[in-house]
Amino acid sequence: MDIYNDIACLKGVGPKTTDILKKCCVFNILDLLLYFPRDYDVISSCGSLSDEKNVGKVIINCRVIKIDKDVRTKNGKVISTVVFDDGSSLFKGKWFNQPYMKNYFKVNCDYTIMGKLQEFRGDTSIINPTIVKGKASMESKEKIIPKYPLKSGITNGLIMKLIDQVLKDIVIEENLPEWITNKYKLCSLDKAVRVIHNPSNLEELNQAKRRLKFQELFTYSLKILMLKAYFNNNKKGIAFKINNELKELKDRLPYALTNAQNRVIREILIDQKKENPMNRLVQGDVGSGKTIVALIAAFNVIKNGYQAVIMAPTEILANQHYLEAERLFSDFNVKVKLLCGSTTQKNKEQIKEDLREGNIDLIIGTHALIEDNVEFKNIGIVVTDEQHRFGVMQRSKLTNKGKNLDTLVMTATPIPRTLSLYLYGDLDVSIIDELPPGRQKIETHYIKEDLKYKAYNFAVEEIKKGRQVYVVCPLVEENEELDLSSVENLYNELKSEYFMDIPVDILHGKMPPKAKDEIMSRFKDGETKVIISTTVIEVGINVPNATLMIIENAERFGLAQLHQLRGRVGRGKHKSYCILVANIKNDIIRKRMEIMKSSNDGFFIAEQDLKIRGAGEIFGFRQHGEGGLILSDVVEDIGILKAANLEAKKLIESNSEIDIKIKNEIFRKIEQNSKFICFN
Ligand code: ADP
Ligand code: MG
């Protein structure tokens, strides 16, 4: 069996299961091996049944004595019962409304049964037990059962069985150099993968996790170092001059730049003057005015005779930057174009040609800019906005389109300096720690779902006063169709209950940009009073008359994201509000909502969120798989990250033959964008 074999090659995996596994991003054997449990059940094995009643979960080896006829209760439930013997006494397994479960058993065969023992109408029973065919070895007192992330149609038992099948048939080759595994006493890759799926004790499990976290963070560090090496190899960059027109551009702005903006622009211009390429990260809270900083940086490069690129994560945002750039540069003879996924084929071809010929000075777009056939005459600067949404690899793909160019990365997610060192390699960091004057605090409240009518009644009041309202609902998984239906359902609900006579629009990520534009300009002109939307409005909307934002299922958002969303109101002279409608099912959620209510400081909020939730989720590594960090949390595991980073550096510098072999192999795999590095 090869780890790159399709998952369909496994016994028991038909077309239906294949489809569901694909939804879990399991396509081949390797994906399956990397489908790590999200948690474990620790179960004590049961000596004698009679001692163990009502003591929590147990695991019992037993034999089937008989399978009873199903019984139907008065209220229509079907109860199926199987009688087991554990060698000393009898007990029953019971299932409600799952008559097919009993078909799994054969009389006189052995099974391992797991569940909570209880007295049930005079019988000792386990309701809805977990079952495995055959006898489990009971040497240890504890049994640790993995709990996998599941989607409907997939059971924990199925994943366990499939992984078992694979591990019987495969040896995973070691891929770390021996000097590293020895130094950190890391177990072999093969052992780690086996143990993480089937640990016999907690100590062993922790060792396996440590090894795999090291693996992830080591690979991640190598990627970062590759980028760094790329920059170092091309040390000599372009020494730009400070152009005279820069002052005129600044003078023409409709506002005065803040001190923080001026400081960051200065830092950027100093970089631009230097011979070596700029490599700078700009952090600044939502609304701190990062766009103008990026445009000024691009302007100076353009006036030096080079092209500039600004890449944004969404079309709406790209479009907004485009409009702002056109306005700003209209009197300065700068040719600006927009390139997105939805740009018509004809326009795309024209734009690509113009880019090659050097007829375009500034190109703004989405990841469509990364495509291989987008070529430039001479890029001088690449700006990526909201960097954490792009992978390291995507970023490097863009920088590879030019020579020795400057890079500027903009983010509203504050990253602690210690961490950014490891996450972004050698990026220099600038911080815009000041908002433009006149911004007001947005009054924030959170309410439980059953009180949400209050929020919408308040919305109607605001609209009567002439104001406008955003309603946001979360993305449903990563599925555009489901998203649309969730927005549409909300629309129907709100339209019939609160907004009968009020013009309402829906905004959705799947819409063509032209439709989005129309909806946005209707809202801007005050024709529509409410926009119901998924998170697409997070970035890129500026309507000063909008004073209320209602966020549905607020518990599903990261705090940094809630804060960004909230930043869409409070942009005009009227008092603004944000109401978070949340399903407050535990203290953590209440705590997070409380933070949103009490603070308007994006950096503070993100820091708190970091503490509560861990970095993985905030930076979106887990969702987007940046660097393949599945197990590691860059905050919690900073110790491992440091060690991995150190050793990755040594490996890069090492000239020993075996290290070179390993290094080349790793680089090859990284280039293929594989999530895990395996040498077979
Ligand atoms: P972000 O940092 O979130 O990307 P933007 O660049 O979108 O922020 O700026 C938010 C708004 O603030 C824009 O409408 C922009 O024109 C405005 N703005 C930027 N800088 C200033 C300033 N110094 N004074 C007043 N308004 C500003
Ligand atoms: Mg921005």
Side-chain angles (χ1 to χ4, degrees):
M1 194 187 303
D2 186 278
I3 53 168
Y4 296 110
N5 279 358
D6 197 284
I7 198 77
C9 75
L10 293 176
K11 267 189 291 194
V13 179
K16 222 169 123 193
T17 314
T18 311
D19 276 351
I20 304 170
L21 284 168
K22 274 184 188 158
K23 282 198 189 125
C24 304
C25 286
V26 174
F27 298 93
N28 60 25
I29 304 288
L30 177 61
D31 298 331
L32 182 67
L33 289 175
L34 293 179
Y35 200 70
F36 295 143
R38 64 178 161 76
D39 201 3
Y40 297 84
D41 256 339
V42 181
I43 293 146
S44 44
S45 65
C46 171
S48 146
L49 263 181
S50 50
D51 309 334
E52 304 272 350
K53 275 172 202 162
N54 302 316
V55 292
K57 281 194 174 173
V58 295
I59 186 158
I60 310 165
N61 278 329
C62 53
R63 176 162 293 186
V64 173
I65 302 298
K66 75 180 168 83
I67 300 169
D68 286 350
K69 269 224 171 79
D70 287 352
V71 179
R72 189 175 285 271
T73 63
K74 265 184 238 146
N75 49 15
K77 275 187 189 163
V78 178
I79 305 178
S80 314
T81 306
V82 177
V83 184
F84 299 99
D85 181 359
D86 84 326
S88 59
S89 49
L90 301 185
F91 71 98
K92 290 178 177 173
K94 284 186 187 287
W95 290 265
F96 292 93
N97 287 338
Q98 300 171 75
Y100 46 89
M101 284 307 293
K102 63 180 181 300
N103 302 334
Y104 188 80
F105 297 96
K106 278 203 187 103
V107 172
N108 274 332
C109 287
D110 289 327
Y111 298 86
T112 309
I113 302 290
M114 187 180 85
K116 201 168 171 337
L117 269 181
Q118 42 191 278
E119 292 294 323
F120 188 78
R121 296 195 182 151
D123 294 327
T124 306
S125 327
I126 298 180
I127 297 178
N128 263 333
T130 306
I131 42 178
V132 180
K133 242 181 208 153
K135 275 192 178 174
S137 94
M138 291 285 187
E139 291 134 31
S140 53
K141 270 198 79 86
E142 270 174 357
K143 180 106 187 134
I144 304 172
I145 311 283
K147 290 203 282 196
Y148 290 95
L150 299 174
K151 286 227 160 98
S152 81
I154 296 237
T155 63
N156 209 50
L158 175 75
I159 304 263
M160 283 169 73
K161 245 170 44 192
L162 293 178
I163 286 179
D164 204 43
Q165 198 187 124
V166 170
L167 288 177
K168 272 196 188 115
D169 221 44
I170 209 165
V171 178
I172 304 165
E173 259 181 66
E174 188 47 52
N175 64 354
L176 285 178
E178 222 176 275
W179 51 266
I180 292 181
T181 51
N182 283 346
K183 179 169 173 187
Y184 294 97
K185 302 200 167 51
L186 299 173
C187 65
S188 71
L189 181 59
D190 185 70
K191 166 118 197 232
V193 171
R194 275 168 210 282
V195 168
I196 196 132
H197 290 296
N198 196 4
S200 51
N201 60 62
L202 289 175
E203 169 59 22
E204 194 186 68
L205 177 62
N206 286 337
Q207 290 303 326
K209 276 192 187 162
R210 197 171 137 260
R211 154 75 207 222
L212 292 168
K213 284 179 177 180
F214 192 97
Q215 181 86 52
E216 281 183 357
L217 295 168
F218 183 71
T219 313
Y220 189 79
S221 300
L222 281 172
K223 284 188 190 176
I224 300 284
L225 291 167
M226 270 172 74
L227 279 183
K228 200 169 175 174
Y230 164 79
F231 285 114
N232 286 344
N233 286 340
N234 297 279
K235 243 194 190 108
K236 215 162 137 14
I238 310 155
F240 298 100
K241 298 204 173 65
I242 306 299
N243 188 271
N244 295 333
E245 285 182 80
L246 209 54
K247 193 177 170 306
E248 207 186 321
L249 181 77
K250 281 201 227 167
D251 288 345
R252 290 243 207 128
L253 290 176
Y255 45 75
L257 292 170
T258 62
N259 290 334
Q261 282 171 318
N262 274 319
R263 188 188 65 241
V264 172
I265 291 169
R266 242 186 343 262
E267 286 166 351
I268 292 170
L269 292 178
I270 290 173
D271 283 357
Q272 290 191 345
K273 278 199 280 187
K274 285 185 193 156
E275 275 242 306
N276 29 0
M278 168 167 75
N279 211 1
R280 186 167 286 279
L281 175 73
V282 175
Q283 296 184 7
D285 204 348
V286 244
S288 62
K290 295 186 289 295
T291 319
I292 186 66
V293 171
L295 289 172
I296 287 174
F299 183 77
N300 193 48
V301 168
I302 292 163
K303 288 295 164 186
N304 273 266
Y306 290 86
Q307 291 170 298
V309 180
I310 299 181
M311 180 162 77
T314 62
E315 294 210 0
I316 288 198
L317 185 57
N319 198 37
Q320 179 187 274
H321 289 348
Y322 172 71
L323 294 176
E324 194 166 344
E326 281 224 303
R327 225 177 13 244
L328 187 66
F329 297 148
S330 58
D331 296 336
F332 289 88
N333 190 29
V334 173
K335 189 130 176 26
V336 189
K337 283 280 172 193
L338 179 69
L339 180 69
C340 295
S342 66
T343 308
T344 61
Q345 201 55 35
K346 204 171 137 223
N347 279 342
K348 261 189 198 161
E349 292 311 320
Q350 185 61 46
I351 288 172
K352 283 178 195 167
E353 193 188 317
D354 286 342
L355 281 174
R356 267 194 306 271
E357 303 283 323
N359 299 332
I360 293 174
D361 301 313
L362 171 61
I363 184 83
I364 298 177
T366 55
H367 47 261
L369 291 168
I370 302 176
E371 282 168 25
D372 286 335
N373 55 5
V374 179
E375 291 160 32
F376 296 83
K377 183 165 176 235
N378 61 346
I379 317 186
I381 186 170
V382 166
V383 182
T384 41
D385 195 13
E386 303 301 339
Q387 119 80 23
H388 63 285
R389 296 175 190 220
F390 294 106
V392 174
M393 288 297 134
Q394 282 176 310
R395 190 149 55 90
S396 70
K397 240 180 140 171
L398 197 50
T399 45
N400 276 325
K401 288 182 185 286
K403 258 203 183 138
N404 318 329
L405 46 82
D406 280 4
T407 49
L408 193 60
V409 169
M410 327 277 284
T411 179
T413 310
I415 299 142
R417 206 174 273 272
T418 44
L419 211 55
S420 66
L421 200 67
Y422 297 106
L423 292 180
Y424 299 117
D426 59 349
L427 289 189
D428 299 311
V429 180
S430 290
I431 299 177
I432 310 182
D433 50 4
E434 182 185 353
L435 292 182
R439 291 280 157 81
Q440 32 156 329
K441 193 174 170 353
I442 299 155
E443 190 177 317
T444 302
H445 299 277
Y446 61 90
I447 51 174
K448 286 197 213 147
E449 230 143 304
D450 49 355
L451 295 177
K452 79 178 189 183
Y453 67 90
K454 286 189 178 176
Y456 289 105
N457 285 337
F458 182 63
V460 173
E461 276 173 40
E462 283 292 290
I463 293 163
K464 277 188 192 147
K465 279 196 233 159
R467 303 288 88 77
Q468 286 163 286
V469 175
Y470 295 112
V471 179
V472 179
C473 54
L475 293 170
V476 183
E477 295 177 340
E478 300 237 307
N479 183 328
E480 299 269 5
E481 273 158 42
L482 277 179
D483 277 352
L484 187 58
S485 82
S486 80
V487 183
E488 278 171 351
N489 287 343
L490 188 63
Y491 173 88
N492 292 335
E493 181 192 328
L494 297 181
K495 193 74 190 150
S496 62
E497 283 179 46
Y498 305 95
F499 302 143
M500 281 79 83
D501 310 316
I502 295 170
V504 181
D505 259 333
I506 287 183
L507 192 63
H508 181 261
K510 198 80 190 185
M511 290 174 174
K514 212 169 145 229
K516 285 183 200 164
D517 277 355
E518 278 165 18
I519 288 169
M520 275 326 300
S521 52
R522 271 211 296 277
F523 190 63
K524 230 171 174 153
D525 298 344
E527 268 175 59
T528 37
K529 300 296 175 192
V530 182
I531 280 198
I532 304 177
S533 152
T534 53
T535 48
V536 286
I537 63 158
E538 175 186 348
V539 278
I541 287 179
N542 196 15
V543 180
N545 192 45
T547 53
L548 170 62
M549 170 164 291
I550 299 173
I551 303 178
E552 293 258 341
N553 292 101
E555 77 281 357
R556 294 211 216 149
F557 292 92
L559 295 193
Q561 205 183 6
L562 286 176
H563 180 65
Q564 293 215 343
L565 283 167
R566 179 170 68 178
R568 297 300 121 195
V569 295
R571 292 180 164 243
K573 53 183 189 288
H574 305 288
K575 181 162 177 50
S576 294
Y577 307 86
C578 172
I579 303 180
L580 307 168
V581 181
N583 178 5
I584 302 169
K585 46 181 185 258
N586 58 45
D587 277 355
I588 291 184
I589 293 174
R590 181 177 302 278
K591 221 161 128 187
R592 297 175 68 230
M593 294 302 125
E594 203 48 61
I595 290 168
M596 287 306 297
K597 184 178 167 184
S598 62
S599 174
N600 258 283
D601 175 346
F603 278 70
F604 173 80
I605 288 170
E607 224 167 79
Q608 296 302 309
D609 208 15
L610 197 81
K611 278 193 197 144
I612 299 175
R613 295 201 311 163
E617 291 189 42
I618 295 196
F619 299 133
F621 289 137
R622 298 223 163 107
Q623 295 94 314
H624 306 295
E626 165 149 9
L629 298 185
I630 303 169
L631 285 174
S632 319
D633 180 302
V634 284
V635 171
E636 212 171 273
D637 300 317
I638 185 123
I640 303 178
L641 177 59
K642 277 185 187 167
N645 202 272
L646 181 78
E647 303 309 333
K649 272 186 196 145
K650 282 196 206 150
L651 181 73
I652 296 257
E653 282 155 19
S654 164
N655 285 321
S656 96
E657 208 173 297
I658 179 143
D659 286 344
I660 287 174
K661 191 174 153 252
I662 288 182
K663 192 161 54 185
N664 288 339
E665 193 63 20
I666 292 177
F667 284 176
R668 193 172 66 77
K669 298 278 184 186
I670 287 177
E671 251 155 18
Q672 291 169 357
N673 230 342
S674 82
K675 19 171 145 171
F676 196 64
I677 300 160
C678 270
F679 293 141
N680 44 8

Coordinates of all heavy atoms in Angstrom, one line a residue, residues 255-258 261 284-292 320 324 436-437 439 542 568 571, ligand 1:
Y255 N -7.8 64.5 4.3 CA -7.6 64.5 5.8 C -6.1 64.6 6.0 O -5.3 64.3 5.1 CB -8.2 63.2 6.4 CG -7.8 62.0 5.7 CD1 -6.6 61.4 5.8 CD2 -8.8 61.3 4.9 CE1 -6.3 60.2 5.1 CE2 -8.5 60.2 4.2 CZ -7.2 59.6 4.3 OH -6.9 58.5 3.6
A256 N -5.8 64.9 7.3 CA -4.4 64.9 7.7 C -4.0 63.5 8.1 O -4.8 62.8 8.9 CB -4.1 65.9 8.8
L257 N -2.9 63.0 7.7 CA -2.5 61.6 8.2 C -2.2 61.7 9.7 O -1.8 62.7 10.3 CB -1.2 61.2 7.5 CG -1.3 60.9 6.0 CD1 0.0 60.7 5.4 CD2 -2.2 59.7 5.8
T258 N -2.5 60.6 10.4 CA -2.2 60.5 11.8 C -0.7 60.4 12.0 O 0.1 60.1 11.1 CB -2.8 59.3 12.5 OG1 -2.3 58.1 11.9 CG2 -4.4 59.3 12.3
Q261 N 0.4 57.0 11.2 CA 0.6 56.7 9.8 C 1.8 57.4 9.2 O 2.6 56.7 8.4 CB -0.7 57.3 9.0 CG -1.9 56.5 9.1 CD -3.1 57.2 8.6 OE1 -3.3 58.4 8.8 NE2 -4.0 56.5 7.9
G284 N -2.1 47.1 12.1 CA -2.9 48.3 12.5 C -4.4 47.9 12.7 O -4.9 47.1 11.8
D285 N -5.0 48.3 13.7 CA -6.4 48.0 14.0 C -7.3 48.4 12.8 O -6.9 49.2 12.0 CB -6.8 48.8 15.3 CG -8.0 48.1 16.0 OD1 -8.5 47.1 15.4 OD2 -8.3 48.5 17.1
V286 N -8.4 47.7 12.8 CA -9.4 48.1 11.7 C -9.6 49.6 11.8 O -9.8 50.2 12.8 CB -10.8 47.5 11.9 CG1 -11.2 46.6 10.8 CG2 -11.0 46.9 13.3
G287 N -9.7 50.2 10.6 CA -10.0 51.6 10.5 C -8.8 52.5 10.8 O -8.9 53.7 10.9
S288 N -7.6 51.9 11.1 CA -6.5 52.8 11.4 C -5.9 53.4 10.2 O -5.0 54.3 10.3 CB -5.4 51.9 12.2 OG -4.9 50.9 11.3
G289 N -6.3 53.0 9.0 CA -5.9 53.7 7.8 C -4.7 53.0 7.2 O -3.7 53.7 6.8
K290 N -4.7 51.7 7.0 CA -3.6 51.0 6.4 C -3.6 51.2 4.9 O -2.5 51.3 4.3 CB -3.7 49.5 6.7 CG -3.5 49.2 8.2 CD -3.4 47.7 8.5 CE -4.7 47.0 8.3 NZ -5.8 47.5 9.2
T291 N -4.8 51.4 4.3 CA -4.8 51.4 2.8 C -4.0 52.6 2.3 O -3.2 52.4 1.3 CB -6.3 51.6 2.3 OG1 -7.1 50.7 3.1 CG2 -6.4 51.2 0.9
I292 N -4.2 53.8 2.9 CA -3.5 54.9 2.3 C -2.0 54.8 2.5 O -1.2 55.2 1.6 CB -4.0 56.2 3.0 CG1 -3.5 57.5 2.4 CG2 -3.8 56.3 4.5 CD1 -3.9 57.7 0.9
Q320 N -12.6 47.9 -3.5 CA -12.6 49.2 -2.7 C -11.2 49.8 -2.9 O -11.1 51.0 -3.0 CB -12.9 48.9 -1.3 CG -12.8 50.2 -0.5 CD -12.9 50.0 1.0 OE1 -14.0 50.0 1.5 NE2 -11.8 49.9 1.7
E324 N -10.4 53.5 -4.4 CA -9.7 54.5 -3.6 C -8.4 55.0 -4.4 O -8.1 56.1 -4.5 CB -9.3 54.0 -2.3 CG -8.8 55.0 -1.3 CD -8.7 54.6 0.1 OE1 -9.3 53.5 0.5 OE2 -8.1 55.3 0.9
P436 N -7.6 57.5 13.3 CA -7.9 58.9 12.9 C -8.8 59.5 13.9 O -9.6 58.8 14.5 CB -8.6 58.7 11.6 CG -8.1 57.4 11.0 CD -7.9 56.5 12.2
P437 N -8.7 60.8 14.1 CA -9.5 61.5 15.1 C -11.0 61.4 14.8 O -11.4 61.3 13.7 CB -9.0 63.0 15.0 CG -8.4 63.1 13.7 CD -7.8 61.7 13.4
R439 N -13.2 59.2 15.7 CA -13.8 57.9 15.8 C -14.5 57.8 17.1 O -13.9 58.1 18.2 CB -12.8 56.8 15.6 CG -12.2 56.7 14.2 CD -13.1 56.0 13.2 NE -12.8 56.5 11.9 CZ -11.9 55.9 11.2 NH1 -11.1 55.0 11.6 NH2 -11.6 56.4 9.9
N542 N -17.8 51.2 3.6 CA -17.7 52.5 4.4 C -19.0 53.3 4.1 O -19.1 54.0 3.2 CB -16.5 53.3 3.9 CG -16.2 54.3 4.9 OD1 -16.7 54.3 6.1 ND2 -15.4 55.3 4.5
R568 N -17.4 48.4 10.9 CA -18.1 48.9 9.7 C -19.1 50.0 10.2 O -19.6 50.7 9.3 CB -18.9 47.8 9.0 CG -18.0 46.7 8.4 CD -17.1 47.3 7.4 NE -15.7 47.0 7.8 CZ -14.7 47.6 7.2 NH1 -14.8 48.6 6.3 NH2 -13.5 47.3 7.6
R571 N -18.8 55.1 11.8 CA -17.9 55.8 10.8 C -18.5 57.2 10.5 O -17.9 57.9 9.7 CB -17.8 55.0 9.5 CG -17.0 53.8 9.8 CD -16.8 52.9 8.6 NE -15.7 52.0 8.9 CZ -14.5 52.0 8.3 NH1 -14.3 52.8 7.3 NH2 -13.6 51.1 8.6
Ligands
ADP1 P1 -7.9 49.7 7.6 O1 -6.7 50.0 8.4 O2 -8.9 49.0 8.4 O3 -7.6 49.1 6.3 P2 -8.8 51.8 5.9 O4 -7.5 52.1 5.3 O5 -9.8 51.1 5.2 O6 -8.5 51.1 7.3 O7 -9.3 53.3 6.5 C1 -10.6 53.4 7.0 C2 -11.2 54.8 6.7 O8 -10.4 55.8 7.4 C3 -11.2 55.1 5.3 O9 -12.4 55.6 4.9 C4 -10.1 56.1 5.1 O10 -10.3 57.0 4.0 C5 -10.1 56.8 6.4 N1 -8.8 57.4 6.9 C6 -7.6 56.8 6.7 N2 -6.7 57.6 7.3 C7 -7.3 58.7 7.8 C8 -6.9 59.8 8.6 N3 -5.6 60.1 8.9 N4 -7.9 60.7 8.9 C9 -9.2 60.5 8.6 N5 -9.6 59.4 8.0 C10 -8.7 58.5 7.6

